Amino acid sequence: MKAICWQGKKDIRCEEVPDPKIEDPKDAIIRVTSTCICGSDLHLMNGFVPTMCLGDVLGHEPMGEVVEVGAEARAKGLNVGDRVVVPFQMICGECEQCRKGNFSVCQTTNRNADLAKAFFGDTTAGLFGYSHITGGYAGGQAQYMRVPYAATTVIKVPKDGPDERYLFLSDILPTGWQAAAQAEVGPEDTVAVWGCGPVGQFAIQSSIVMGAKTVYAIDDVPERLAMAERLGAKPVDRSQVNVVQFLKEHTDGHGPEKCIDAVGIEAHGPNAVLGLIDKVQTALKLETERPVAFREAIMACKAAGTVSVPGVYGGLSNSIPLGAMMNKGLTLRTGQTHVKRYADDILRRIDEGQIDPTFVVTHTAPLGKAPEMYRKFRDKQDGCIKVVLKPGG
Ligand SMILES: NC(=O)c1ccc[n+]([C@@H]2O[C@H](COP(=O)([O-])OP(=O)(O)OC[C@H]3O[C@@H](n4cnc5c(N)ncnc54)[C@H](O)[C@@H]3O)[C@@H](O)[C@H]2O)c1
Ligand SMILES: [Zn+2]
Ligand SMILES: [Zn+2]
């Protein structure tokens, strides 16, 4: 079958790889009908996430049709022909963390748990197409994919309607939702969202659904700011203003109660000189990331407020204003998203028409075009905000 493979930093290729097979009675095989490129994939492409191996199959935002089921998955109610979204994490449904709804840190599904413990101090769940720290599982930018722990992992969706209505349940829609939910956004709150990529867009949409008083959307890409404005946010072009100062001026000098960092490791700026300092430090391995948005979110946040971080970080950052964090009494909420914690609720809101996630798609292309689409998405060419790949052509 055809699959999108990581072949080194900035080298993404469409290749022929062996078809996946059932390897365990809990497995299912999915024929992928739609699959996306995520901002998280850019971190892999740009070499920010360690333990990638040549030939690793990428992708963690797929959906499709079940074409083969192992005996245990079938016994738990998964059947050939089911239409399913595959969340980016595998879950066992039985461990202590799964029972508490902390699915992205399932204790069972990461077959490289020891590696995760060495990096992070405890294990995460197994993730699709996302390095060997998270299990080294083949991803879903492919014609077919093997889904371990299939019956507990997948989200069954209705048979009708376009894929794009449900596809983003795999990751970015619950991720935006969790970002707002963890900040406990409500009608009293002014929210500021750094980053108007797909995750930022859904964090904005979720904050508005949760009743936020005002939402500021921060980025410097015009079409992304315009998309945020259409959702009801107030755009802040960070190339034109000092972001922290701007937010203070528009919130009686105190700052937004809820600040969401939907940028993560590869933030730019805040200006050419300060941006260079992080570039030099990452080049010298004095830090592994560029936490510009995170620093600004801490400084901008109103005292006793919450900084919520869906943006992905992988290692070590410098110059984090811990003094501001501590003395203002801020709450910090983070995490890979516990997709299934929110899936039923969001699915109901989609089916009732309260949430329409399809607005985020700007580009649809055959799977084979993925290398070109990765570049387009990374470089924000041609108004690219979200790419959906179609393995069926
Ligand atoms: N927590 C999770 O489970 C989870 C899930 C999916 C994605 N993510 C992460 O969320 C982040 C965003 O993902 P995405 O798909 O929207 O990516 P993206 O690359 O499309 O969007 C990032 C946006 O941030 C903007 N940006 C860069 N520097 C900035 C700054 N200093 N201030 C404000 N904006 C700035 C960019 O212009 C871009 O529009 C990534 O780090 C991704 O890995 C996390
Ligand atoms: Zn993703
Ligand atoms: Zn578990």
Side-chain angles (χ1 to χ4, degrees):
M1 67 162 184
K2 283 194 170 51
I4 306 308
C5 301
W6 190 89
Q7 290 294 8
K9 196 172 163 181
K10 305 200 172 151
D11 188 358
I12 307 283
R13 299 184 205 167
C14 182
E15 295 184 334
E16 289 287 331
V17 304
D19 287 358
K21 294 193 299 276
I22 300 272
E23 294 174 23
D24 181 281
K26 295 190 180 72
D27 290 355
I29 305 294
I30 313 290
R31 181 177 62 82
V32 178
T33 53
S34 296
T35 185
C36 317
I37 305 176
C38 178
S40 300
D41 293 323
L42 297 181
H43 304 325
L44 301 177
M45 182 188 194
N46 294 334
F48 276 81
V49 180
T51 75
M52 288 297 290
C53 293
L54 298 186
D56 281 352
V57 176
L58 296 167
H60 59 267
E61 301 187 353
M63 69 176 288
E65 184 193 348
V66 177
V67 291
E68 249 185 282
V69 234
E72 272 187 58
R74 190 176 319 111
K76 286 191 171 167
L78 193 64
N79 290 301
V80 168
D82 286 347
R83 189 186 194 203
V84 296
V85 169
V86 184
F88 70 91
Q89 66 223 215
M90 280 148 250
I91 63 173
C92 75
E94 288 164 7
C95 71
E96 182 197 343
Q97 297 289 12
C98 281
R99 277 185 276 119
K100 290 178 175 163
N102 300 326
F103 298 115
S104 72
V105 288
C106 168
Q107 294 166 329
T108 313
T109 53
N110 185 349
R111 58 188 171 184
N112 294 334
D114 287 345
L115 193 57
K117 282 180 184 165
F119 266 94
F120 302 135
D122 196 2
T123 190
T124 65
L127 308 186
F128 291 102
Y130 216 75
S131 87
H132 290 257
I133 309 178
T134 62
Y137 292 98
Q141 287 167 6
Q143 290 180 300
Y144 293 89
M145 73 184 295
R146 169 180 164 241
V147 180
Y149 304 91
T152 36
T153 293
V154 301
I155 303 165
K156 286 192 198 178
V157 295
K159 287 254 154 83
D160 48 344
D163 277 5
E164 287 73 6
R165 182 183 296 166
Y166 301 113
L167 181 57
F168 307 119
L169 280 167
S170 56
D171 179 353
I172 54 173
L173 176 52
T175 293
W177 188 266
Q178 174 172 292
Q182 292 202 140
E184 297 177 17
V185 169
E188 313 260 284
D189 291 328
T190 296
V191 181
V193 179
W194 277 255
C196 298
V199 170
Q201 300 293 339
F202 285 130
I204 291 163
Q205 189 187 40
S206 302
S207 297
I208 290 170
V209 169
M210 291 176 198
K213 194 168 63 182
T214 309
V215 181
Y216 289 101
I218 304 152
D219 207 306
D220 62 352
V221 182
E223 63 274 13
R224 294 181 177 220
L225 288 169
M227 185 181 266
E229 192 171 16
R230 287 196 294 277
L231 285 173
K234 295 191 174 167
V236 182
D237 183 345
R238 65 174 198 86
S239 68
Q240 301 301 315
V241 296
N242 174 311
V243 171
V244 175
Q245 203 181 330
F246 177 94
L247 291 171
K248 298 290 178 192
E249 281 165 12
H250 288 76
T251 50
D252 298 333
H254 291 290
E257 285 84 2
K258 307 292 160 73
C259 292
I260 296 176
D261 167 7
V263 182
I265 319 182
E266 294 183 64
H268 304 290
N271 55 52
V273 177
L274 291 174
L276 189 62
I277 293 176
D278 275 314
K279 271 210 163 150
V280 170
Q281 293 195 87
T282 47
L284 293 175
K285 308 278 187 233
L286 295 172
E287 64 178 346
T288 56
E289 33 217 24
R290 306 199 292 253
V292 177
F294 183 53
R295 291 181 191 131
E296 284 185 356
I298 293 173
M299 291 311 292
C301 196
K302 186 175 187 171
T306 299
V307 175
S308 174
V309 185
V312 159
Y313 290 89
L316 301 171
S317 294
N318 291 340
S319 306
I320 302 298
L322 276 179
M325 180 109 207
M326 187 273 165
N327 287 289
K328 287 196 287 181
L330 303 186
T331 299
L332 175 63
R333 301 296 304 273
T334 65
Q336 298 280 5
T337 303
H338 307 298
V339 173
K340 272 218 157 168
R341 191 191 285 180
Y342 310 99
D344 286 349
D345 182 30
I346 298 177
L347 190 55
R348 179 184 54 77
R349 290 173 194 266
I350 292 173
D351 282 337
E352 288 174 4
Q354 187 193 39
I355 293 178
D356 177 3
T358 58
F359 73 90
V360 81
V361 182
T362 53
H363 289 68
T364 302
L367 184 71
K369 287 247 158 88
E372 180 187 328
M373 299 314 289
Y374 262 83
R375 286 191 293 274
K376 207 169 254 198
F377 174 51
R378 181 194 61 193
D379 300 339
K380 299 165 183 78
Q381 292 163 350
D382 191 24
C384 187
I385 300 179
K386 189 71 181 176
V387 180
V388 178
L389 300 166
K390 300 283 181 182

